[in-house]
Amino acid sequence: PWTRLLPSKTLLVTGSLDKTVRLWDLKQGMPISTSKPHGGTVRCVAMDEEACVSGCSDNTLRIWLPQYQAMRDSCSAAMPPLFDLTSPFNTIRVHTGPVSSLCMTECALYSGSWDCTVRIHSRLQSNSWELASCLTYDDWVFSVAARGKHLLVAAGVDVYCHDLSTGQVVRKFQNLHEGHVCCVEGTQNSRMLFTGAGDGLVLAHDLRMKEPSCVMWHHNAGVHGLAFEDPWLASASSDGTVLMMNTEEQRKAATGMRALSSNCRQFMTPSGPALCVDIAEQWLACGSESETVRVWDFTRAEECAQRAAAAKAARNSRRGPGHNRGPRGMQYPVPPHRIYQQGVQPGAGFYAPVLAPATPGQYAGEPRLQQVQAGAGHGTGRQAHGRGKGGQAAHRSGRGGQADMNGAAATPVPERSSHQRRHGGRHGGHKRPEQK
């Protein structure tokens, strides 16, 4: 199905291969109205507060107008929907091929078709439409988007950027992808252009510069849909994923990686390939091949993020100083280059750790005693209980330095490395043969 959101009226319109158009309530997720079957597959839809339009493979446009009169005459508590898809509609037959893309602004309706044309219909005050002009291309038109002062058109392997007022071509991009360009999007300030194609790439192009295109993301399969809501760009792919990326931060990285970061959010559609996507205000909608439409509500996203940050801070406060946060919320010990020896100084009922750089031969993860204060009585780590007024340092080798009876500090025996413990070395045993 193909989807379009209208959050101001909490509405969602979808078109499907079953030749119908359906209107849904966003908050309740229930269908409101269903049209009669079209003469072919519904390939695209568009909607605002003044009209609901569908484009079909039978070369026709169908337009439903809002039922303001029924809403005013309604006396019941339940307000009727903005559009009644069972009511009569207006039909426009100007294309000679299937209608593949629709885009609606306050002043005009743009329809792209496989007849290699884009028709521009002017919106009149009486909620009627008049054909104003026609743009012709060398290949099928797959996507049309009017953004800011530009009209963006994907025709075959080329992408055209027209001046919206005059229709003149401002920029033309050729052979951006391997194959046909399936979808185009752009920013309202007319600075950026985004394209997606069957090669799985999502590219960004700065219309003010002549620099090469920037790879925003690389899907594992073809990209069928793009939607932009500043600064978020959503893409739908045949691999069953819907990706939301922060275009401002992602362009700075300019890596084209497949690994997720804090600038990207990925959603799965396990029921099949994602064919279309739309994003508006706090809503995200995606249609898949399995006759389902998934909708995500981000109206409480900030509140959930604050709760998650508070829970993370509470968990970190309960952790000891010897752990770092790893990826995906897992705990990992301090890396080897940050391991320290831990010594102990006696205090009034507690022992304060003293950190010192680790020696190269020290075993990672097992801190050893650096020094022992006489008369400590007991310690931490590998320090054994003292005898009398002295203390004994117990080392891994089993030989410690005995403190004298007058309370003098013990002299620790030098530590042996793991190789020396296995093969002798400092205390005798097998020695490594000298090199010739």
Side-chain angles (χ1 to χ4, degrees):
W2 283 259
T3 62
R4 279 296 178 267
L5 290 163
L6 186 60
S8 60
K9 301 297 182 179
T10 64
L11 293 177
L12 168 70
V13 63
T14 61
S16 176
L17 298 174
D18 62 2
K19 305 180 182 181
T20 63
V21 176
R22 295 175 186 266
L23 195 65
W24 304 79
D25 188 302
L26 270 179
K27 294 185 177 180
Q28 298 180 2
M30 298 297 293
I32 300 175
S33 181
T34 304
S35 72
K36 296 179 180 180
H38 290 46
T41 299
V42 180
R43 296 189 173 273
C44 50
V45 291
M47 181 174 60
D48 61 9
E49 296 185 4
E50 299 298 330
C52 178
V53 187
S54 68
C56 185
S57 59
D58 62 356
N59 312 341
T60 60
L61 300 175
R62 291 169 173 82
I63 303 176
W64 289 269
L65 300 178
Q67 48 178 357
Y68 290 130
Q69 185 64 34
M71 296 175 66
R72 286 192 295 265
D73 297 341
S74 176
C75 300
S76 61
M79 184 66 66
L82 183 62
F83 299 101
D84 183 10
L85 301 184
T86 61
S87 62
F89 50 83
N90 300 328
T91 303
I92 299 179
R93 298 180 182 270
V94 292
H95 289 284
T96 59
V99 182
S100 58
S101 180
L102 288 173
C103 180
M104 196 184 319
T105 63
E106 296 180 356
C107 302
L109 170 66
Y110 303 87
S111 60
S113 172
W114 287 0
D115 61 2
C116 306
T117 63
V118 171
R119 313 275 179 163
I120 303 176
H121 313 266
S122 298
R123 180 182 292 186
L124 305 180
Q125 295 182 353
S126 59
N127 283 334
S128 59
W129 305 85
E130 180 183 6
L131 181 61
S133 61
C134 176
L135 305 175
T136 306
Y137 305 91
D138 298 329
D139 207 336
W140 290 358
V141 176
F142 290 97
S143 181
V144 176
R147 300 293 182 264
K149 60 182 181 180
H150 290 154
L151 175 65
L152 311 174
V153 179
V157 297
D158 301 330
V159 177
Y160 298 83
C161 179
H162 296 267
D163 186 278
L164 201 59
S165 58
T166 63
Q168 299 295 323
V169 178
V170 179
R171 293 283 301 273
K172 180 181 178 181
F173 300 87
Q174 295 179 317
N175 300 320
L176 292 174
H177 298 267
E178 296 180 1
H180 297 290
V181 180
C182 299
C183 45
V184 293
E185 260 294 350
T187 58
Q188 291 294 339
N189 56 13
S190 304
R191 294 181 178 180
M192 296 300 302
L193 164 69
F194 306 101
T195 59
D199 56 3
L201 293 177
V202 178
L203 302 181
H205 323 273
D206 194 334
L207 298 176
R208 304 165 298 171
M209 310 291 291
K210 294 185 179 181
E211 298 177 356
S213 304
C214 168
V215 178
M216 301 289 290
W217 193 261
H218 191 177
H219 284 275
N220 294 324
V223 179
H224 296 293
L226 289 176
F228 182 77
E229 180 79 8
D230 194 19
W232 294 97
L233 176 68
S235 61
S237 173
S238 292
D239 58 5
T241 62
V242 177
L243 189 77
M244 285 180 56
M245 64 189 82
N246 189 321
T247 56
E248 296 178 357
E249 300 298 332
Q250 196 74 0
R251 282 184 59 226
K252 293 178 182 178
T255 58
M257 298 185 302
R258 298 173 186 258
L260 294 176
S261 64
S262 59
N263 305 325
C264 301
R265 303 289 185 271
Q266 188 175 25
F267 309 94
M268 302 300 297
T269 58
S271 54
L275 300 180
C276 60
V277 66
D278 191 27
I279 181 172
E281 296 182 6
Q282 304 296 326
W283 297 88
L284 174 69
C286 170
S288 65
E289 200 176 58
S290 61
E291 305 176 359
T292 59
V293 175
R294 284 175 169 80
V295 177
W296 291 268
D297 181 9
F298 297 98
T299 54
R300 302 181 61 184
E302 185 175 357
E303 178 184 351
C304 295
Q306 293 176 355
R307 290 202 306 265
K312 180 179 178 180
R315 289 195 303 269
N316 292 339
S317 64
R318 291 194 295 268
R319 291 192 179 99
H323 289 80
N324 282 344
R325 293 288 296 177
R328 299 184 183 274
M330 299 179 64
Q331 270 191 316
Y332 291 97
V334 180
H337 66 276
R338 293 191 59 189
I339 289 179
Y340 293 90
Q341 293 178 339
Q342 183 175 6
V344 177
Q345 289 182 344
F350 67 95
Y351 297 88
V354 178
L355 301 181
T359 58
Q362 183 181 350
Y363 180 74
E366 293 188 9
R368 67 180 177 87
L369 191 64
Q370 182 184 12
Q371 64 180 8
V372 179
Q373 184 74 21
H378 65 279
T380 61
R382 292 188 177 271
Q383 181 182 6
H385 290 280
R387 300 179 181 177
K389 296 182 179 180
Q392 183 180 8
H395 297 274
R396 300 192 195 100
S397 61
R399 302 182 181 183
Q402 178 71 34
D404 59 12
M405 300 302 295
N406 295 327
T411 302
V413 177
E415 179 71 3
R416 295 191 303 164
S417 66
S418 60
H419 177 79
Q420 291 170 343
R421 290 198 300 273
R422 289 194 301 268
H423 303 287
R426 186 179 297 171
H427 297 287
H430 177 71
K431 295 183 179 180
R432 182 180 299 178
E434 298 180 357
Q435 298 181 356
K436 295 182 181 181

